[in-house]
Each structure stands twice: as C-alpha cells, then as structure tokens.
C-alpha cells in the first residue's frame, strides 16, 4: 500500500491541471465575446483603421485621389477660374451666365490662338486723348495716309508693334463711335487701354476741348477691297533685309521666309519690320500668319528697297 506522502502530490497536480483548464476556458470565452461584438470588429482594429484614415499627418485626399490638373492651352483670360479652384468633377453644373456687356461675344477658345494682348470679341476700357497726326505716319512706319482716322496705341498694348495695322472700333459714353487704324505708338505714361486718337478721329466722339474722355474699344476685321502689300526696308539686300507687310485686314502675328529646311520665323521690331540679319530668305518666298492662324504665301517678290509691292492675297474677314 502506498503511503499518504505519495498520494498528496498527485492530488496537487490534478488540482493545478483543473485550474489551468478553467483559466483557459475563461480566456476562450472572453475572446469569443470580443470577436462576436455587434460590429464584428475589435476596438483595437477599428482604432488602428481610424488612425490610418484621419490621424495626424494623414492626407484627407488619400481616400479619393485628386487628378493632376491638365495644362491649359488657352490663353490666360482675366475672368478665368484659377486652376486651384474646386475641381469641375465635384462642382454642381450651372447654366452659363448671361453676357453683361454689349460688345460682341468672346470667341471660342482657340479661334485666335496667336492673339497677343488685343483679343477679338473683347471690349477694353480706357481713355481717349488726341494728337496732331500730321500725314498719318507714325511708329509703325507705314508712311503717309490719305485717311486720318488713325490712332496711337498705348505702349503696353502696342506690344512690340503687334498692334500695328489693327482696326479698332472706339465708343464714347455718349454712344458716338469711330473706326480707326493703329499706325503709331503712344509712349509711357500712356496707360493700358488708352488710345491717342488723331484730332480728326477724336472729333467724331467729342469736342477737342474735352481733351480726355472715357471710352471702350474692340478689335475689328473690316471689309476691304485691298490686298496685302510687301515692302523691303531701305538698305535691304541678299545679305541683310527688313520686311514689312502692309494693308493686312487682321493683326499680323508672324512673318516667315522659306529656307532649305522649311520656314524660318523672323524677329519683329518695334518699328514694325521683320529682320533677317544674315540674309536668310531675303528675296525668297514669304509666309504671313494672322492672329487667327490663317497663313498666306507670297512668291516672286524681288528685293526692291523702300518700294510697296502689292500681292494677290488677303486674310479672311472674321
């Protein structure tokens, strides 16, 4: 028969085993209660998920990637919504506002891709002053003109002579209007929007004694029976030349000469000639481009300095 001293340790081991099983069962029961919560997710898991979505340092746009803005190809316009505004994909659709100006509506984007500061379909505000235009010549170097309905464009909008030859309709507050052609530049301090009109043109809007009046003005593409003419500058040869276009209906954006590799664009000067300093293309074919992108090709003109040579081409009326 075994002694009692050998039986007691056996009971202790059994008791310990029972307690171990009981503790394990309780732990299992607690785990089941946590797992089977109504939302089916432990608090620790939900907290971690919340920290990922909204915690410090997390980007609020991480949930919905914002597409990179497409580069704008249109010319910047003062009334355009900045690129940093709310994306059009999240903005409610709204009808276009009714025009608030009496001027012609703006053209669709891209209809005048080469326009500079003066864009078609846009009404500009400023002031009109007047000067003695003499024979109608000016900074554009067109020469004397029998028509003295001319104007000097302010330095800013003159834009390195790109305004030369532009036809402008000018309106006064009284409702009177006049159409002028830009043949000159009004230097600083003439402000953007300002037109210095010939006395003859100013008199169509107000008495000369008024001196200075508020105006609105816009670009025109007039009807004309004339064609474009070309003039080589004094001193031009096959080694150096300056070329000028006259009588173009719409503002001229580019003048190019034909070369062995295609067309080469000449640099425009403030006195309204396009220069070929090394003689490239002098005496060859020319290509003229207006602000609307229309191109005219002129062939067969000899280098005849300071001589106006007519062509058979003209830009389309817009």
């Amino acid at each position: 028969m075994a002694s009692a001293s050998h039986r007691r340790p056996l009971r202790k081991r059994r008791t310990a085993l029972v307690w171990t099983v009981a503790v394990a069962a309780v732990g299992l029961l607690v785990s089941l209660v946590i797992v089977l919560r109504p939302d089916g997710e432990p608090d620790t898991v939900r907290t971690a998920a919340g920290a990922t979505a909204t915690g410090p340092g997390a980007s609020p746009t991480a949930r919905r990637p914002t597409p990179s803005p497409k580069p704008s190809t249109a010319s910047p316009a003062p009334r355009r919504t900045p690129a940093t505004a709310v994306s059009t994909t999240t903005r409610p659709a709204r009808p276009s506002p009714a025009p608030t100006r009496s001027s012609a509506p703006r053209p669709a984007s891209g209809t005048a891709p080469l326009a500079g500061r003066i864009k078609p379909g846009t009404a500009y505000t400023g002031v009109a002053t007047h000067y003695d235009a003499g024979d109608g010549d000016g900074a554009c170097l067109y020469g004397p003109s029998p028509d003295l309905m001319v104007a000097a464009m302010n330095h800013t909008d003159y834009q390195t002579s790109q305004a030369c030859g532009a036809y402008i309709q000018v309106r006064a507050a009284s409702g009177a209007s006049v159409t002028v052609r830009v043949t000159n530049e009004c230097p600083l301090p003439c402000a953007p929007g300002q037109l210095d009109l010939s006395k003859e043109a100013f008199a169509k809007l107000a008495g000369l004694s008024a001196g200075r009046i508020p105006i609105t003005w816009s670009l025109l593409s007039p009807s004309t029976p004339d064609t474009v003419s070309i003039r080589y500058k004094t001193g031009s040869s096959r080694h150096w030349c300056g070329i000028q276009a006259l009588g173009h209906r719409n503002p001229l954006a580019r003048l190019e000469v034909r070369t062995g590799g295609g067309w080469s664009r000449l640099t425009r000067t403030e006195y309204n000639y396009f220069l070929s300093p090394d003689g490239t293309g002098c005496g060859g074919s020319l290509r003229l481009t207006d602000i609307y992108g229309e191109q005219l090709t002129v062939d067969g003109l000899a280098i005849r300095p300071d001589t106006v040579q007519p062509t058979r081409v003209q830009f389309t009326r817009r």
Side-chain angles (χ1 to χ4, degrees):
M1 177 181 291
S3 64
S5 60
H6 290 286
R7 290 196 296 267
R8 280 195 296 268
L10 180 59
R11 286 198 301 271
K12 288 181 180 181
R13 287 199 297 271
R14 288 177 178 173
T15 302
L17 179 60
V18 170
W19 277 106
T20 300
V21 172
V23 170
V26 171
L28 178 61
L29 181 60
V30 171
S31 298
L32 289 174
V33 170
I34 293 175
V35 170
L36 297 178
R37 290 171 60 93
D39 56 10
E41 182 180 35
D43 284 342
T44 55
V45 174
R46 289 190 296 107
T47 303
T52 301
T54 59
S59 171
T61 59
R63 284 176 270 176
R64 183 179 300 174
T66 302
S68 301
K70 296 181 180 179
S72 173
T73 57
S75 308
R79 295 170 56 187
R80 202 169 207 175
T81 303
T84 54
V86 179
S87 169
T88 55
T89 58
T90 59
R91 184 184 299 154
R94 291 182 293 180
S96 300
T100 57
R101 294 185 292 188
S102 59
S103 61
R106 287 180 181 269
S109 176
T111 57
L114 302 180
R117 289 183 56 86
I118 304 175
K119 296 176 173 55
T122 303
Y124 297 89
T125 60
V127 296
T129 50
H130 60 77
Y131 74 109
D132 185 357
D135 60 6
D137 197 7
C140 296
L141 296 187
Y142 286 132
S145 170
D147 181 7
L148 292 182
M149 294 296 111
V150 296
M153 181 64 69
N154 68 81
H155 172 76
T156 303
D157 294 326
Y158 183 76
Q159 200 174 6
T160 316
S161 79
Q162 184 158 322
C164 285
Y167 288 88
I168 303 293
Q169 184 178 53
V170 188
R171 290 186 179 277
S174 64
S177 67
V178 64
T179 297
V180 296
R181 185 169 64 104
V182 176
T183 62
N184 209 344
E185 177 187 8
C186 184
L188 296 172
C190 274
Q194 182 174 349
L195 291 176
D196 203 19
L197 305 177
S198 66
K199 290 181 178 179
E200 291 79 2
F202 190 94
K204 300 285 185 181
L205 304 178
L208 295 181
S209 60
R212 182 184 182 96
I213 60 172
I215 57 168
T216 60
W217 55 271
S218 56
L219 184 66
L220 286 182
S221 178
S223 147
T224 175
D226 297 333
T227 58
V228 177
S229 296
I230 299 295
R231 176 165 54 197
Y232 276 91
K233 196 175 187 308
T234 302
S236 293
S237 69
R238 291 200 174 273
H239 306 291
W240 176 95
C241 66
I243 308 172
Q244 182 186 56
L246 305 88
H248 41 86
R249 173 183 278 125
N250 305 319
L252 190 64
R254 295 175 182 168
L255 191 150
E256 299 165 286
V257 293
R258 191 188 296 277
T259 65
W263 292 98
S264 177
R265 181 177 177 181
L266 300 187
T267 301
R268 189 172 203 156
T269 66
E270 297 226 350
Y271 52 88
N272 197 34
Y273 273 87
F274 295 80
L275 299 186
S276 177
D278 59 0
T280 299
C282 295
S285 297
L286 308 177
R287 186 166 72 178
L288 313 179
T289 307
D290 70 3
I291 62 172
Y292 299 95
E294 182 180 359
Q295 296 181 329
L296 306 176
T297 301
V298 179
D299 298 313
L301 291 182
I303 301 175
R304 297 175 182 169
D306 204 25
T307 299
V308 176
Q309 301 185 63
T311 71
R312 297 181 180 180
V313 295
Q314 180 59 275
F315 292 114
T316 304
R317 186 181 183 188
R318 304 286 176 168

